[in-house]
Amino acid sequence: QKEVEQNSGPLSVPEGAIASLNCTYSDRGSQSFFWYRQYSGKSPELIMFIYSNGDKEDGRFTAQLNKASQYVSLLIRDSQPSDSATYLCAVRFSGGYNKLIFGAGTRLAVHP
Amino acid sequence: DAGVTQSPTHLIKTRGQQVTLRCSPKSGHDTVSWYQQALGQGPQFIFQYYEEEERQRGNFPDRFSGHQFPNYSSELNVNALLLGDSALYLCASSLSGQGARNEKLFFGSGTQLSVL
């Protein structure tokens, strides 16, 4: 069973702090990793993707990938109340087409 | 450039009934995937359509079926509805073929199905 695991939270951080969201996956052969943001009652929105070990930065977001540890994380710098949402980690496992397996998501709450 | 559109937005059905959900992919996309998202859970893969055929399928019973039309739009059909089928049904479109550019899924706003 190919799985993606996330801490459900809620993760509560003060405005301006760094939020750190973590995800582990079971398939060592996985190649592609995605972070989606989902506001309550809305559909998931792609915010970051990463394919190589190391860090990838885009504005206030940094995705980190460690394939040896089967671990991917998302850092949000200078967190804003508008970042309050559920963050879904998604993995394209080896052997599939563009089929993404999602974790259950981590709920982030940024308080003023 | 139209994004992924789904209809209807909300639907209420009773147990045993059948339902059809519709999806039009993002312009230029040829692959449609369907996901079920129960409350508090991540999206669960139902199946994917490409070239009017089901290309791969998740762990869902045969009550769940689909179709893709020549214009790449798609339908999800669920027969003999159960209470547990109540969920947000998401359609996602993408491009076919290998490569990082084709792996990104773009989601529609979903159909909220309630089974009473």
Side-chain angles (χ1 to χ4, degrees):
Chain A
Q1 181 82 3
K2 296 181 177 178
E3 294 182 340
V4 178
E5 300 286 342
Q6 293 182 258
N7 188 320
S8 62
L11 174 65
S12 182
V13 300
E15 185 174 356
I18 296 175
S20 178
L21 305 161
N22 304 314
C23 171
T24 59
Y25 57 95
S26 62
D27 180 12
R28 186 172 292 276
S30 300
Q31 296 294 318
S32 308
F33 308 86
F34 304 84
W35 284 99
Y36 284 80
R37 178 177 61 199
Q38 187 173 27
Y39 292 112
S40 181
K42 303 296 185 181
S43 61
E45 172 194 12
L46 179 65
I47 55 172
M48 287 290 288
F49 55 92
I50 187 167
Y51 306 114
S52 303
N53 275 329
D55 294 358
K56 179 182 178 182
E57 185 174 321
D58 184 1
R60 295 187 296 113
F61 298 99
T62 299
Q64 299 176 316
L65 176 61
N66 184 327
K67 289 186 177 181
S69 299
Q70 295 174 230
Y71 177 94
V72 58
S73 64
L74 178 70
L75 301 178
I76 307 174
R77 289 182 300 281
D78 188 24
S79 295
Q80 301 297 310
S82 59
D83 294 326
S84 298
T86 296
Y87 289 80
L88 298 164
C89 173
V91 178
R92 185 177 77 78
F93 287 99
S94 58
Y97 290 96
N98 296 343
K99 168 186 171 181
L100 298 189
I101 303 298
F102 284 81
T106 298
R107 189 157 59 92
L108 172 66
V110 181
H111 53 86
Chain B
D1 180 20
V4 181
T5 59
Q6 290 187 245
S7 63
T9 55
H10 294 84
L11 207 49
I12 299 175
K13 293 286 188 178
T14 57
R15 282 179 298 174
Q17 285 190 310
Q18 178 264 343
V19 67
T20 297
L21 312 180
R22 297 178 176 82
C23 171
S24 292
K26 181 178 169 65
S27 179
H29 285 185
D30 57 7
T31 301
V32 173
S33 302
W34 286 93
Y35 286 81
Q36 179 196 65
Q37 187 175 25
L39 193 63
Q41 300 298 315
Q44 299 293 313
F45 178 78
I46 303 175
F47 42 52
Q48 182 183 91
Y49 277 84
Y50 170 65
E51 291 191 338
E52 302 180 48
E53 292 193 356
E54 183 182 292
R55 183 155 72 172
Q56 52 185 333
R57 188 180 181 92
N59 293 325
F60 280 80
D62 292 344
R63 297 187 298 110
F64 290 77
S65 63
H67 190 78
Q68 186 179 34
F69 300 93
N71 66 353
Y72 308 122
S73 66
S74 177
E75 289 182 349
L76 164 65
N77 301 290
V78 187
N79 295 321
L81 284 167
L82 303 174
L83 296 179
D85 295 331
S86 295
L88 179 67
Y89 288 84
L90 294 163
C91 169
S93 74
S94 59
L95 290 165
S96 61
Q98 299 298 312
R101 185 176 69 97
N102 299 335
E103 293 182 334
K104 304 183 186 73
L105 293 183
F106 294 86
F107 285 90
S109 56
T111 294
Q112 184 65 54
L113 172 64
S114 298
V115 182
L116 306 178

